[in-house]
Amino acid sequence: MKILIYGAGVIGCTYGCQFSSAGHDVSLLVRKGKAEKIKDKGIHISCADYRSGKRQTTETMFCPKVIENLSSDNDFDYILITVSSADLMDVLPSLSKSAGKAHIIFFLNLWDEFDEISGYLLPHQYSYGFPFMAGGGRNGNILDAIISGSKYSKTMLGNADGKKTPELEIFFGILDEVNLKPFISGQIINWLVPHYVFIAAISAGIINSGGTTKNFLGNKKLIKDTVKAIREGFGICIRKGINPKREKVNQLYYLPFFICIPVMRKIFSNEDMASMFDGYLKHSVKDIKFMLDKVILSAKPYDIEIPYLTGLRKSIDSL
């Protein structure tokens, strides 16, 4: 398959490198002026892979094809959108003109961008997903990638209408081939929207603890405040017509604290899960602010009080 990765960050490169290792034809779309350097030297990925049950570290020079512009006569089978949430609106206009016959997978945090996406693209042109198998960050010219071995990690996929299409099932097969644990959800929007709240709130909690998951898990009050912020965000989801409780994973945050906190500590103390968050947050404070602002702004039409969400947001600014 010919796959274009739209976004040269750790997620796009990690998934792209895995696809390439399985023999797929992978290209990377990068900002102008970046292509020559990548063509000459490749992308150094230092990957800590936990899928075998223990940490296995590899050093790889990922050498994909590189383009700076996407033309409408392209022959890609799939385009994987891995830009940040804040950059999505800059991508959609050109994507609507240049996607050609490729099937697009939106592979990022999404909150209320679904109408904008449908305004630029036809329903059959795209699906949704989330790369909850990989994370990490950048260390100079090296991408520090983490591939999770946690039983809670998977690569989510789905269509807005809940239907399985040939395009979705083929991409499922590509992910399964490289052991990135795909899962097709029949209610992907109902998964993505509460997940946006979860990522924004727990990331803000970790940032406020000093930037490490270990510090966060050692601060019981901050965990409580973060869970209360997640519950506030879930309340907004409900007013938007999304019921977080329909996804089993979200039920954890409704449990009494004496149950919820120990379970959270168990889940997020795993080395791979903690490393994914810690690496991501070293360079993503701006993205988390953007995400929190969107959730907080969404509360206003419903006149919902959200003191814990706004408190986390203000705390980040004070750091």
Side-chain angles (χ1 to χ4, degrees):
M1 286 288 169
K2 296 195 69 173
I3 303 170
L4 175 66
I5 308 295
Y6 202 126
V10 66
I11 295 297
C13 290
T14 302
Y15 273 77
C17 189
Q18 294 291 302
F19 297 151
S20 182
S21 70
H24 296 285
D25 187 344
V26 177
S27 297
L28 199 63
L29 192 149
V30 300
R31 293 189 179 98
K32 290 184 179 180
K34 300 287 186 181
E36 288 305 315
K37 182 178 179 180
I38 296 175
K39 287 177 182 178
D40 290 343
K41 299 183 178 181
I43 298 171
H44 185 173
I45 301 177
S46 179
C47 182
D49 189 342
Y50 291 85
R51 287 175 292 181
S52 68
K54 61 181 180 179
R55 180 185 177 115
Q56 295 181 328
T57 303
T58 58
E59 304 292 332
T60 304
M61 292 306 298
F62 177 40
C63 299
K65 297 175 182 177
V66 186
I67 62 174
E68 293 182 342
N69 295 289
L70 180 63
S71 62
S72 59
D73 61 350
N74 73 77
D75 59 350
F76 294 112
D77 296 297
Y78 289 93
I79 299 176
L80 197 61
I81 308 298
T82 63
V83 300
S84 71
S85 299
D87 292 330
L88 178 61
M89 292 303 110
D90 295 329
V91 170
L92 286 175
S94 62
L95 193 62
S96 68
K97 298 175 183 177
S98 305
K101 296 180 180 179
H103 191 75
I104 302 160
I105 310 286
F106 287 98
F107 225 45
L108 68 159
N109 289 301
L110 294 170
W111 174 247
D112 58 3
E113 296 86 357
F114 305 102
D115 288 342
E116 284 87 351
I117 291 171
S118 65
Y120 282 101
L121 299 165
L122 297 173
H124 73 272
Q125 289 183 280
Y126 63 93
S127 301
Y128 296 111
F130 193 83
F132 205 39
M133 277 295 292
R138 185 180 294 275
N139 182 10
N141 292 324
I142 300 173
L143 289 182
D144 285 331
I146 311 294
I147 301 181
S148 176
S150 169
K151 67 179 182 179
Y152 303 103
S153 295
K154 61 189 72 168
T155 301
M156 298 296 295
L157 294 172
N159 287 316
D161 61 6
K163 296 179 180 178
K164 290 185 180 180
T165 57
E167 294 85 0
L168 202 61
E169 292 183 324
I170 290 170
F171 197 68
F172 176 100
I174 294 170
L175 291 163
D176 193 47
E177 179 183 14
V178 292
N179 192 24
L180 286 171
K181 292 171 60 178
F183 178 83
I184 297 178
S185 170
Q187 50 182 22
I188 190 66
I189 306 296
N190 209 93
W191 188 92
L192 284 168
V193 176
H195 184 76
Y196 190 101
V197 169
F198 157 74
I199 289 291
I202 200 165
S203 296
I206 294 170
I207 293 168
N208 276 292
S209 74
T212 69
T213 306
K214 182 178 180 180
N215 286 350
F216 173 72
L217 294 177
N219 188 330
K220 187 174 181 179
K221 181 181 183 304
L222 187 53
I223 298 175
K224 278 188 175 182
D225 288 349
T226 300
V227 171
K228 289 176 181 178
I230 291 172
R231 290 174 180 174
E232 289 173 351
F234 283 177
I236 301 169
C237 292
I238 290 169
R239 296 298 294 271
K240 286 164 62 70
I242 302 291
N243 184 0
K245 289 185 178 180
R246 288 179 61 190
E247 289 289 343
K248 185 177 179 180
V249 67
N250 295 328
Q251 295 175 16
L252 167 64
Y253 304 104
Y254 289 103
L255 294 175
F257 287 118
F258 75 89
I259 300 174
C260 176
I261 291 176
V263 174
M264 287 181 67
R265 283 175 166 159
K266 181 179 180 180
I267 293 171
F268 296 106
S269 62
N270 285 348
E271 183 182 346
D272 45 348
M273 189 71 77
S275 297
M276 283 172 60
F277 273 100
D278 293 351
Y280 167 63
L281 293 175
K282 284 180 182 178
H283 306 282
S284 302
V285 174
K286 182 179 177 182
D287 291 341
I288 299 306
K289 288 181 179 180
F290 175 86
M291 292 173 68
L292 284 170
D293 287 343
K294 293 207 79 170
V295 175
I296 290 168
L297 184 63
S298 296
K300 291 185 177 180
Y302 306 116
D303 197 27
I304 299 174
E305 293 187 3
I306 48 170
Y308 291 96
L309 277 168
T310 54
L312 285 176
R313 178 64 178 87
K314 289 176 182 177
S315 295
I316 294 177
D317 277 337
S318 67
L319 294 176

